[in-house]
Amino acid sequence: MKPTGKMISLLPWLFQTQFASQARKRRLAAEEVVGMDDNIVVPEGGVEDQPRKEPALDDKNLVTVTETFVVTDGDAVNDDLAPVDEEAPATAVSPVSPVDTDPSAESESAEPEVVDLPLGNTANDGGGHAAMMSQAFMDGLNTGLFDPKWYQATYGLRFATQREAFDDYVRKSRFAPVNPSPKFDSETYHRMYIDVFHAQQSPLQHYLLHGRSEGRQHVPATVRWYPREIVAPRKTLTPAAGKLKVALCLHVFYVDFLDRFAKAIERFPVTVDVYLTLADASFETRARQLFGEHARVNKLETRVVPNRGRNFGPVLVEYGQALQEYDLFCHLHSKKSLYSGKEQTQWAEYLIEYLLRDVSVVTRLLNAFAADDSLGLYYPTTFWMMPSWVNHQTMNKGFMREWQQKLGLGHIPEFLSYPAGGMFWSRPQAMQGVLDQSWTYEDFPEEPLPNDNSMLHALERVLGPLAEHHGFRQLFFYPPTGQFTTDNGYITASYHGRLEQHIASIQAHACISFDVFDTLVRREYTVPDYAKLKLGKTLAEQGFVPSAQAFVKLRNEAESTLRQRANFKGDVRIEAVYDELADQLDVAPDIAQEWMELEYELDLEMIQPKDEMVELFNHLAAQGHILWVISDSYYNREQVGLMLRKAGVAAAYRLMVSSEEQARKDNGSMWVKVKQDLANEGIDRHLHIGDNVVADAQMPGDLGLTTFHILHPMDKWAALGFPAVLHGADGLDEMEILKWGRLINEVGRNPFIGE
């Protein structure tokens, strides 16, 4: 949860000369404001006057930037430098192994208790970096910002010394939201100081060695989401788990990942069979060197594969049948890019850590699968620095419908839990319908593939629903609390809270644009086609169409026909849609235009304000912000403007409607125009707010625009656990609309969960 309150500007004097232009300073300041806010996404490819050079990983080469961010009075602190007590007392205990991993144990060992640890290595010899790390370690202990006992207890880990625990935190916190104590929140520090995240630095390490003297701030540890339905497997390997037949399937496109995977399983709790698919024959020698004599590997198979099907094609084509002989298998692949496409390793390290390398996590997940046959699929919660809306079907709805039909699946919600990144553990039975089919590489699309919108992106998203379709539950690991859970509420956790918590981040932008439908205005019965259905009911009574539903289908097909006729360029106007209907129904054009007016009047009658969002809009206008309203709509500018006036939008604004601009948000053409207009007007601090993941978040984000995504009413309804309604044929059943539509509308009035 983002702290709120007064604005604090920190001007570290040490590196001010690093900045070559005022434009770059403004962009960095804007990023730091929104960096505290999970919902506001500043893309990696944002507008800036010069390429951004990534800082080197060495602490000594960090670049400090001017920071502007929001804190609550009294919450953010900058600890005074504390003296280092080199003679700190140590409690002598025998070294404790990280986890009991003996698969042959005949009986369950008692759960280990968290004990006080000896101090460990505090020597300053070994070079400058070693001295700095020792200094940070002792400083963390003396300030209480690192609490080894708390760290062990929270994350289910066991260490021989306090220094060993500190080193574990430093390594993990570069890519995972783990905290060193209740006094320090690692994720918030990374979000406030995005330069530290991009440099892949541990937040506490950076703060102790650099940030504190530079005036940087930190906040206490904050739990952003409390999982329900906690699963608490034993921390030591059970005999049943030790007997599981386990396979690792590793697809390697980048050869350096062979070493990374081999090292990750050095302390694996059970022995495994390894199935490798290699993108290049030259990788095979190194693969056999690393895995052929590996202490944790029973059997090794390697296949050189074509570059087709990404990570899914090779495993399904080469090993799909073999994997069905195992109790469990883990699928990973080499990955070098973050969601934004910028090469970094944090996402890959995050997935490798909680799928392979963290012995405590792997031991517990094996115990969980051995003890509970209902568990079918496991993966850690989605990488924490990805956009809040990433747990969504996004552009893949068409391909997902194809998978739904192929696999016989029921309704799949817009927001859903799935292994983002395509890495997971699974029972073979949970993937029946995919794993057990006969595949060839020709079944998969050729490269190059888009960043989204392919059968493979859809397959990644369908794995969770497929497992649940077969009667299995999904298991997740939530690193911030160190807990396993079957609760998928993490997918919408960033939408909890209040609008007031985001106002400071929103106000950091000079120009703010809003979507219209389900952002500023809502429909009384939620369903966009209800006005068409009501009109169709009238026309059916007059004998023009056989039924109301038939009219809606005809009306929407007429709109689609016009788009196809224009090769999906520009957009259509509602007047043209009814001209097309006049031809198809053989009625006079003026009669069809009367129908058009009636559809609009029926829709206008049901328009209501999204009160909090309208109040925000008017408030921003009073504060002097430049306001734009941008809508994909077949209605014309006057019609949309009248809806906004009815909803209480009283401020001055620029209105861009796709039917008038002949450009759409959902295909990106509107955002190209918006970006050009922003540049022409000299606006470099723009934010767009909207509810449609593709049109209002993904598309503008891909073009480098900053976005703030809010929940659509149907998404909020689903996030609250209410039944799946108004989907498919029910969406045009008037009784269902009257039964559920108004309830969903009221629930979705405020887009934030908890309001």
Side-chain angles (χ1 to χ4, degrees), residues 94-98 115 117-118 148 151-152 157-162 164-166 168-169 172:
S94 300
V96 181
S97 62
V115 297
L117 301 176
Y151 183 70
Q152 285 191 107
L157 301 165
R158 299 292 286 155
F159 301 100
T161 66
Q162 296 179 47
E164 186 180 309
F166 180 76
D168 185 79
Y169 162 76
K172 286 180 180 172

Side-chain angles (χ1 to χ4, degrees), residues 405-721:
Q405 294 170 2
K406 177 181 177 67
L407 300 172
L409 306 181
H411 169 69
I412 298 177
E414 299 279 295
F415 275 87
L416 73 164
S417 50
Y418 71 96
M423 306 190 211
F424 53 88
W425 282 83
S426 179
R427 293 188 196 274
Q429 300 92 328
M431 284 186 59
Q432 294 305 297
V434 174
L435 191 66
D436 57 337
Q437 301 302 302
S438 296
W439 295 92
T440 67
Y441 287 106
E442 287 68 33
D443 293 323
F444 301 95
E446 294 186 65
E447 297 288 345
L449 292 180
N451 290 333
D452 200 10
N453 192 19
S454 75
M455 70 168 290
L456 295 169
H457 293 104
L459 175 57
E460 182 180 67
R461 286 164 170 80
V462 86
L463 293 180
L466 176 62
E468 293 173 359
H469 172 72
H470 289 309
F472 293 102
R473 295 185 298 162
Q474 298 190 72
L475 181 68
F476 318 107
F477 181 73
Y478 187 51
T481 63
Q483 293 173 308
F484 285 88
T485 180
T486 53
D487 175 14
N488 71 355
Y490 73 90
I491 62 178
T492 51
S494 61
Y495 298 94
H496 286 254
R498 294 172 287 109
L499 177 61
E500 289 78 8
Q501 294 170 288
H502 304 278
I503 288 178
S505 297
I506 293 171
Q507 289 184 147
H509 302 83
C511 177
I512 302 156
S513 59
F514 287 75
D515 172 49
V516 175
F517 298 100
D518 298 306
T519 297
L520 287 171
V521 307
R522 55 195 171 119
R523 290 178 166 99
E524 183 179 6
Y525 292 95
T526 304
V527 177
D529 281 348
Y530 189 34
K532 303 171 191 174
L533 189 70
K534 294 175 79 170
L535 173 59
K537 191 175 180 180
T538 299
L539 297 182
E541 291 171 353
Q542 296 173 356
F544 288 102
V545 291
S547 69
Q549 289 79 6
F551 172 75
V552 175
K553 182 179 179 182
L554 189 65
R555 154 71 177 79
N556 290 342
E557 286 176 348
E559 183 179 336
S560 178
T561 297
L562 291 176
R563 296 188 194 283
Q564 293 177 21
R565 199 174 291 164
N567 293 319
F568 299 98
K569 294 180 179 179
D571 203 2
V572 302
R573 295 173 62 100
I574 191 170
E575 295 90 344
V577 173
Y578 276 86
D579 284 341
E580 179 72 17
L581 280 174
D583 291 341
Q584 293 187 16
L585 294 175
D586 194 23
V587 299
D590 57 338
I591 293 177
Q593 291 302 307
E594 290 177 5
W595 296 349
M596 181 272 291
E597 293 288 349
L598 183 54
E599 178 188 328
Y600 174 72
E601 290 170 6
L602 290 167
D603 211 0
L604 178 64
E605 182 182 0
M606 292 185 286
I607 289 295
Q608 298 176 341
K610 294 196 75 166
D611 301 288
E612 289 79 4
M613 299 303 295
V614 170
E615 289 173 11
L616 171 64
F617 189 94
N618 292 333
H619 166 76
L620 292 170
Q623 296 296 313
H625 292 272
I626 302 167
L627 298 178
W628 292 2
V629 176
I630 309 174
S631 178
D632 276 351
S633 180
Y634 39 73
Y635 290 136
N636 59 43
R637 186 177 287 111
E638 290 72 22
Q639 290 169 325
V640 174
L642 182 56
M643 288 178 164
L644 291 169
R645 286 197 296 276
K646 183 185 178 187
V649 172
Y653 59 89
R654 176 187 179 184
L655 178 57
M656 304 176 72
V657 179
S658 61
S659 63
E660 303 275 7
E661 304 289 341
Q662 287 301 297
R664 288 185 62 84
K665 293 187 298 178
D666 61 8
N667 66 17
S669 56
M670 178 73 84
W671 296 117
V672 171
K673 178 176 177 56
V674 166
K675 190 170 182 177
Q676 184 62 55
D677 288 355
L678 290 169
N680 292 342
E681 297 185 26
I683 299 171
D684 61 357
R685 299 275 292 277
H686 165 260
L687 173 71
H688 179 70
I689 302 174
D691 71 282
N692 187 289
V693 165
V694 173
D696 295 312
Q698 189 174 17
M699 279 293 181
D702 286 348
L703 287 171
L705 297 173
T706 303
T707 61
F708 182 104
H709 181 256
I710 62 174
L711 285 178
H712 184 279
M714 292 291 287
D715 294 331
K716 182 177 178 181
W717 176 268
L720 291 172

